[in-house]
Amino acid sequence: MIENVQNTNFASKNQAAKTSKAQQQFMDRKIFEAFKINAGSKTAYMPTGHLIKSKGPIGGLAVGIKDTFSDVKNFAGAVKNGKSNDHSLGRMNDLGLKLGGALIAGYLASKKMAPTSKGMEFIGFGAFLASMALWPRLTIDAPIKAKNGFNIRQKYIDNEGRKKEFFQDNQYLPWDLWSNEKINKIADRMHIDKNMKDREEFTKKKMQKIALQGNTEWMLSCGVGVPLMTSMICTAAEKPLELFNIKRAIKKSQKNLELMASGNKSVADYAHEIKDSGLDFTKLKGSADKKAERIFEELDPMKLVKQAKDQDSRHLIEELRYSNSLMDDIRQILTPKYIDSVDDFTTTLLDKVFKGGKVKSVNLLGDTVEKVISSDALKAVVEKANVQDGRNFAEKLLEAMKDAQLPLPTGMGQEEFVSGVTDLIQQNGLGKKSEAEALALLSRNGKAIKALQRKTGKLFEAVNSVFGARAESAATLRHSNFASSVLEQTGIKKNMALLKEIKETSGSGKAFDTLRKFFSKSAGYSDKEYADAFIELAGGKGPKGLLGKKIQSIFGYLDKNSKSTTAMKDALGKLGSETASLEGMPTLKNMYGGGRSGLKNIVSKFMHEARLNFNSTSHRALATLDFEKRVADSAAVKKFVKQKFGTADLADDFIEIARKTIYEGTKSGYSSAERFVKAGKVNMWKEVLDFLYNQPLADSTKKAIAEAAKMQEGAGISSEAKNIISGFNKYRSKVFDALKSSGESIPSKENFLLTGKPITQTLQEASKKLYNNKHWLKIFGIATIVAVAVTTVATFTFGRMKKEQELYEQQSKEDGNVTQ
Amino acid sequence: MKVSFAQNNNTNIMPSGYIKTQEADDKKYYHDDYILEGIGAKLPNPKRAVYELTTYPKKGLKGSPNSNFYEFLKMGKIPYVVGSAAMIALYCVGVNKYNSGDKLEALKIAKQVGTGVVLYAAGKSLGGKLVKKGVHMTTGIDVDMPYRKIVAQAPEKPGENRDSVDEYHKVFESVDFVNWPILEKFGARHGDCDKYYKKIAKRAGFGEDLNAPGQTMQPRIKSVVTRTYAAKNVVSYLWAALGVALSRQQAVVDFAKNDTFKTLIKNPKQSALKLGSCAKNAVKQLWNGTNKTSGILGKTLMAGTLAATVLGVALSNKDFRAKKHKSVIDPNKPVEEC
């Protein structure tokens, strides 16, 4: 049976092959004739095209994303099958634009350092795409729709399911998609005579004209409008993005700290550990020095910083002198020796050979006495002998003991001592590890060190995200916020002319004058007003508004008692305890311990200095206000000057020097002698210092401090302002002591930070920046407004067809007459 | 009114049936659309560009019924030109935003943006040209083949005379409606209607004896054109991105910093040498990157763009060539009469 089927199959195949060309042609003709007969009964498909309702901005975005995906699909289809249509190919151009834009943003972001600049590249690209879509919609489509009742960007789906813009091609408008009802509604909106003959036709013509004019205006205006709109969006987005990035960096690093402190590892840690499992130094070749260098290269802590390219972290690592200690330890392990642990060996030697350390020695009188040998002396001798040179260690030790004039153990000869020591090493396993063992130890340590470095890196990142001097940290934000607050209080913020003058004046002359006026004015206030000004200068209620709230929450991390500071301390403790597992690396252990140059000390010093830096700047501003208040009472100043210099004539000079010092004095200013000598007269350095920081505060200031102390946090005063005011007195005495003791020599870093940034300098820098920002915004803000206004207003002139309308109306009337 | 489409080479009869004045005589083939030949055909024509950029917006703003999609597309150049200028202006004025210390840095950025805009445009144009040139060289199909079209204008006001305007189209600008007839007219002008198809058929390996070269080649040409456009639309933006990335390299920054337009014009030979070494260094710097990420991205961008260009040309050639297979039909065998 099967055979039969196979036979028939074979036969039919053979048959088919034999089917002549003529037969094939006959079949084709048959099919064609059947089609010809039926052709008359076939009709075209019913049209399925329709207009699409607008989905609003959010719905539109979703549709846009969906359309982009279908563009990708169409692109793949076009490349694969070689089939597409003009519409899809046109949309592929947009696809290319998006891809190219994303690549540009990605590449440029990779070259930027600060997260905000990185983010701005993408925001810029997004804003550009958004502006391209929004510009015509806001400035052209919306006013046209408001006036005429239809959207010139009306979309429709054609019979083949392609989405197109209805008015795109002025000479191809498939009007059958619009119902008469809809057209009439638009005609009503356009105030077209209801009785006009061919009202729909006329409306369509008008719509066509308006759409064409709108589209042309779009092409003419978007070249100017889109870049302007993009830059405005970016300007508005920069500050919130910066705050978001600062907070995100802090929060992220805090989380790492918590993980470190709790001993839990982050996912990233695990990933690294898997990679580090390949850390194997046992196969290294070459001299001990070369090996040490290779190992150090692998474990170099600077690698971490180089990757992060973070100036602050680099600074911290350098301060820790981590690299040196690591190299010392590696060399120590690899250096050829007789015994590994000198401590262990000395203890065992004292115990086993010296039997508790009793030795007989001859004293100065020639008597033989028994005494106890000092373990330190013995240790020194062991260390001296413990340098490998090929000789017997026990013999070397004996020689070293002779050199140090140390006696042998009671009742022991030289030979006995040598054999005793040799036995001791062998029996107790105190000998030096082989080189292979040393390398294995370093491999083990290496893994631990890498983990330690990663954690140190994370710790530094956490410290820097809050206290770092980098462009985006809580401390930097605090500085810029103080400057901005001073600008606001002095009234300069809104005074463009003054801003310009300060910006353009070389030196700090103009800033000095402006500030002096401000402080003198405040000094003239009543106690109540003065207190308000004093508190406001310290920070007042803190930054205001929605962004202000975010800023205040970031300032919270700077607080001494903040959670983040505690987390840092916990993490530091944990790091210290983790070094315990490092075998034979005493120097490195010290680094992570609590030593003077240890990690704990360095990190806390870093945080302290950062706090000191911004607090002193605020304190100095308060001291300036207090100074003006006291100087306002000229009799008191004269009394002080007379008491110090014997004559009140110097009072004016004294005030001038003191004023310059408190307003403008810098690190070098405080230390240059000539600054305090007026016209070759007396040097007033000590007296100025005394007056500024040691003399009692003005009564009004005392009252203001008391007032601030009474105020509840959050009600009229922020916690930062409260801290500043409560620390003011302490600051004064500290700065007085520091400057007095350093005299006129260059002050230490701490003393320099104590003096704070001169308020004139703060004001000048901030004014320049603000003026430039405002100036730029003024030019382009106005340009944007003008561009928007011109584009929008122009749309109201579109669709003027007075003559045609008259013609149509006349026609209607004539036709009406005829029918009547 | 009756419109005559009679073809008569001896009289100046427009397709619309209107007789033109003598001034039309000095224009060759004025009476009909024709493919533009010669080297000058595809070179940029500033006079035409100025005409397009001034006349079309005017027509559009007036709401002329004669304003068509071609004119709308031509106006698409305006945002590119104006937008690029506006962007450079934004950064140049932005230079004053900074303090004197940062001003130099800001000026550097402004110059970078300027070069970026120029290199973006150059990259985009070059990318598209490379794909199209590649396809032209491998298949013989020039997707940019230009032709002049005469478009009759409807009178805009009562009593106004009808006129016609020239438009400069591309034969393959629409894959939905390829202007096949003009290819045939082009052939006819050179003595053979199928001249173009035959040329392409030969390139595709079909030989010279195809019965109906048009019928065989049209679908193949269409698929080549479709793929070329698809590839061009993506590849050209990759080149644009590459242009911007190159503009941010130190070599370009230094070049822009040290040389002004004036100094470049004065010493053309030296400038060319400088430009060459700048381009070489910029490519090197982009490849190496300033950090790990930018290095990886730079390499990917360069290699990816080159690969995409080659791939674009290769894919456009897909299904173009005749498949080599043994024919079951013996062309030498005499056909039996039915």
Side-chain angles (χ1 to χ4, degrees), chain B residues 79 149 152 172 186 221 243 269 302 337:
Chain B
K149 188 180 179 186
F172 301 111
F186 162 81
I221 293 174
K269 198 180 164 190
M302 279 170 88
E337 294 285 331

PDB file of all heavy atoms in Angstrom, chain B residues 79 149 152 172 186 221 243 269 302 337:
ATOM      1  N   PRO B  79      13.858  76.702   9.721  1.00  0.00           N
ATOM      2  CA  PRO B  79      14.143  76.482  11.143  1.00  0.00           C
ATOM      3  C   PRO B  79      15.566  76.002  11.399  1.00  0.00           C
ATOM      4  O   PRO B  79      16.164  76.364  12.415  1.00  0.00           O
ATOM      5  CB  PRO B  79      13.152  75.400  11.549  1.00  0.00           C
ATOM      6  CG  PRO B  79      12.143  75.333  10.500  1.00  0.00           C
ATOM      7  CD  PRO B  79      12.671  75.972   9.272  1.00  0.00           C
ATOM      8  N   LYS B 149      10.303  70.412 -12.598  1.00  0.00           N
ATOM      9  CA  LYS B 149       8.879  70.194 -12.839  1.00  0.00           C
ATOM     10  C   LYS B 149       8.239  71.551 -13.071  1.00  0.00           C
ATOM     11  O   LYS B 149       8.571  72.520 -12.376  1.00  0.00           O
ATOM     12  CB  LYS B 149       8.273  69.531 -11.593  1.00  0.00           C
ATOM     13  CG  LYS B 149       6.849  69.077 -11.759  1.00  0.00           C
ATOM     14  CD  LYS B 149       6.376  68.448 -10.461  1.00  0.00           C
ATOM     15  CE  LYS B 149       4.938  68.001 -10.589  1.00  0.00           C
ATOM     16  NZ  LYS B 149       4.418  67.520  -9.318  1.00  0.00           N
ATOM     17  N   ALA B 152       1.669  74.389 -12.983  1.00  0.00           N
ATOM     18  CA  ALA B 152       0.740  75.448 -13.376  1.00  0.00           C
ATOM     19  C   ALA B 152       0.153  76.092 -12.129  1.00  0.00           C
ATOM     20  O   ALA B 152      -0.091  75.422 -11.128  1.00  0.00           O
ATOM     21  CB  ALA B 152      -0.359  74.856 -14.223  1.00  0.00           C
ATOM     22  N   PHE B 172      13.109  60.085  -7.293  1.00  0.00           N
ATOM     23  CA  PHE B 172      12.724  59.063  -6.323  1.00  0.00           C
ATOM     24  C   PHE B 172      12.293  59.656  -4.989  1.00  0.00           C
ATOM     25  O   PHE B 172      12.351  58.986  -3.974  1.00  0.00           O
ATOM     26  CB  PHE B 172      13.890  58.095  -6.101  1.00  0.00           C
ATOM     27  CG  PHE B 172      14.326  57.396  -7.355  1.00  0.00           C
ATOM     28  CD1 PHE B 172      15.547  57.674  -7.940  1.00  0.00           C
ATOM     29  CD2 PHE B 172      13.502  56.462  -7.952  1.00  0.00           C
ATOM     30  CE1 PHE B 172      15.945  57.028  -9.101  1.00  0.00           C
ATOM     31  CE2 PHE B 172      13.885  55.811  -9.111  1.00  0.00           C
ATOM     32  CZ  PHE B 172      15.100  56.094  -9.689  1.00  0.00           C
ATOM     33  N   PHE B 186      13.347  60.572 -20.236  1.00  0.00           N
ATOM     34  CA  PHE B 186      14.799  60.773 -20.215  1.00  0.00           C
ATOM     35  C   PHE B 186      15.457  59.810 -21.208  1.00  0.00           C
ATOM     36  O   PHE B 186      16.326  60.193 -21.994  1.00  0.00           O
ATOM     37  CB  PHE B 186      15.306  60.530 -18.787  1.00  0.00           C
ATOM     38  CG  PHE B 186      16.777  60.287 -18.662  1.00  0.00           C
ATOM     39  CD1 PHE B 186      17.676  61.337 -18.661  1.00  0.00           C
ATOM     40  CD2 PHE B 186      17.269  58.986 -18.518  1.00  0.00           C
ATOM     41  CE1 PHE B 186      19.029  61.103 -18.525  1.00  0.00           C
ATOM     42  CE2 PHE B 186      18.622  58.750 -18.383  1.00  0.00           C
ATOM     43  CZ  PHE B 186      19.502  59.806 -18.385  1.00  0.00           C
ATOM     44  N   ILE B 221      14.173  48.647  -8.011  1.00  0.00           N
ATOM     45  CA  ILE B 221      14.623  50.030  -7.763  1.00  0.00           C
ATOM     46  C   ILE B 221      13.879  50.593  -6.553  1.00  0.00           C
ATOM     47  O   ILE B 221      14.457  51.209  -5.665  1.00  0.00           O
ATOM     48  CB  ILE B 221      14.380  50.911  -9.008  1.00  0.00           C
ATOM     49  CG1 ILE B 221      15.274  50.461 -10.155  1.00  0.00           C
ATOM     50  CG2 ILE B 221      14.632  52.373  -8.688  1.00  0.00           C
ATOM     51  CD1 ILE B 221      15.002  51.161 -11.467  1.00  0.00           C
ATOM     52  N   GLY B 243      29.619  64.297  14.746  1.00  0.00           N
ATOM     53  CA  GLY B 243      30.108  65.659  14.530  1.00  0.00           C
ATOM     54  C   GLY B 243      30.135  66.443  15.824  1.00  0.00           C
ATOM     55  O   GLY B 243      31.129  67.105  16.158  1.00  0.00           O
ATOM     56  N   LYS B 269      47.135  77.739   3.147  1.00  0.00           N
ATOM     57  CA  LYS B 269      47.906  76.500   3.132  1.00  0.00           C
ATOM     58  C   LYS B 269      48.147  76.008   4.556  1.00  0.00           C
ATOM     59  O   LYS B 269      47.924  74.848   4.894  1.00  0.00           O
ATOM     60  CB  LYS B 269      49.238  76.753   2.411  1.00  0.00           C
ATOM     61  CG  LYS B 269      49.902  75.464   1.972  1.00  0.00           C
ATOM     62  CD  LYS B 269      51.196  75.751   1.267  1.00  0.00           C
ATOM     63  CE  LYS B 269      52.028  74.490   1.182  1.00  0.00           C
ATOM     64  NZ  LYS B 269      53.383  74.788   0.722  1.00  0.00           N
ATOM     65  N   MET B 302      31.970  56.001  17.191  1.00  0.00           N
ATOM     66  CA  MET B 302      32.729  56.000  15.937  1.00  0.00           C
ATOM     67  C   MET B 302      32.545  54.697  15.175  1.00  0.00           C
ATOM     68  O   MET B 302      32.176  54.696  13.986  1.00  0.00           O
ATOM     69  CB  MET B 302      34.218  56.217  16.222  1.00  0.00           C
ATOM     70  CG  MET B 302      34.560  57.659  16.422  1.00  0.00           C
ATOM     71  SD  MET B 302      36.216  57.838  17.018  1.00  0.00           S
ATOM     72  CE  MET B 302      37.078  57.893  15.490  1.00  0.00           C
ATOM     73  N   GLU B 337       3.892  27.122 -31.413  1.00  0.00           N
ATOM     74  CA  GLU B 337       2.699  27.958 -31.591  1.00  0.00           C
ATOM     75  C   GLU B 337       1.484  27.189 -31.086  1.00  0.00           C
ATOM     76  O   GLU B 337       1.361  25.998 -31.312  1.00  0.00           O
ATOM     77  CB  GLU B 337       2.492  28.282 -33.080  1.00  0.00           C
ATOM     78  CG  GLU B 337       3.566  29.158 -33.674  1.00  0.00           C
ATOM     79  CD  GLU B 337       3.434  30.601 -33.237  1.00  0.00           C
ATOM     80  OE1 GLU B 337       2.312  31.041 -32.961  1.00  0.00           O
ATOM     81  OE2 GLU B 337       4.484  31.293 -33.159  1.00  0.00           O
TER      82      GLU B 337
END
